[in-house]
Amino acid sequence: MVNAPATPEFSRAVPLSEIGAATRPRHLVADAGERAALARRFGLLALDRLEADVTLHPDGAGYLVEGRLRGEAQQACVASGEPVPARIADDVRIRFVAEAGHDAADAADAADAEVELDADDCYTLFHDGRAIDLGEAVAESFALALDPFPRSPDADAALKAAGVKEEGEAGPFGALAALREKLEKK
């Protein structure tokens, strides 16, 4: 997870006092300035679109955000640096719970407790007892959905030109063979 700045670029804070028992849909859209700032933070060449349709409602000791995010970005190829388009359409399911000392007497105990997760569990974030930032949650979810090692169609050629051997070529002693080749050239 990338560390969020003190004031998130795409902040859509919802005060806890405004969250009723009924589920309310919310449509979030990042504007051009917010997208540019998020692109810098996430190391993207560009962030052309980021939006989400989510619902927020109380859920046990916390609040549940569910919905779908959509985004389009340009990432840099890990081999060539060329732009690689990224299209994300992903479900969002995030549970917000109180940080220790904020609206929960047992939050400190909960933070230290060991928790077993199953496939139906969701990503958990903390709120400060005053508000939940839906925009930041969507931005972080988008960043997590991106390919951590984007590759352009020319990535293999760029790696080969740089002298990087493919796994099949190198075999188990590929690193030693490459070192031997360098020593023989001297």
Side-chain angles (χ1 to χ4, degrees):
M1 181 74 51
V2 176
N3 288 334
T7 303
E9 303 89 341
F10 180 44
S11 182
R12 299 294 187 272
V14 177
L16 296 182
S17 62
E18 290 182 13
I19 303 171
T23 301
R24 288 185 19 202
R26 297 171 189 269
H27 181 71
L28 311 173
V29 179
D31 66 28
E34 293 165 332
R35 292 192 317 267
L38 286 169
R40 282 190 298 277
R41 178 168 137 203
F42 297 140
L44 302 171
L45 300 176
L47 179 53
D48 303 314
R49 175 182 174 214
L50 179 60
E51 63 182 77
D53 290 295
V54 298
T55 59
L56 170 65
H57 57 89
D59 181 62
Y63 300 89
L64 189 62
V65 175
E66 295 178 293
R68 188 143 182 93
L69 72 84
R70 294 163 306 283
E72 296 176 15
Q74 297 288 323
Q75 295 181 271
C77 172
V78 295
S80 67
E82 294 176 3
V84 177
R87 272 205 152 113
I88 305 295
D90 206 8
D91 291 330
V92 176
R93 189 162 191 258
I94 303 168
R95 178 168 287 112
F96 282 88
V97 296
E99 286 180 314
H102 294 285
D103 271 2
D106 60 349
D109 292 336
D112 293 334
E114 186 172 319
V115 177
E116 287 191 35
L117 300 176
D118 63 26
D120 293 330
D121 285 330
C122 57
Y123 185 53
T124 300
L125 293 175
F126 294 99
H127 65 77
D128 62 5
R130 295 185 308 266
I132 289 174
D133 195 335
L134 295 177
E136 179 60 18
V138 166
E140 288 184 15
S141 296
F142 176 78
L144 287 171
L146 289 168
D147 184 348
F149 303 105
R151 293 173 61 102
S152 71
D154 300 329
D156 289 337
L159 290 171
K160 192 168 194 99
V164 177
K165 293 186 178 187
E166 291 183 28
E167 195 173 318
E169 291 178 307
F173 299 104
L176 292 174
L179 180 60
R180 181 178 171 184
E181 287 175 21
K182 285 183 180 179
L183 291 173
E184 288 175 355
K185 289 181 182 178
K186 288 186 175 186

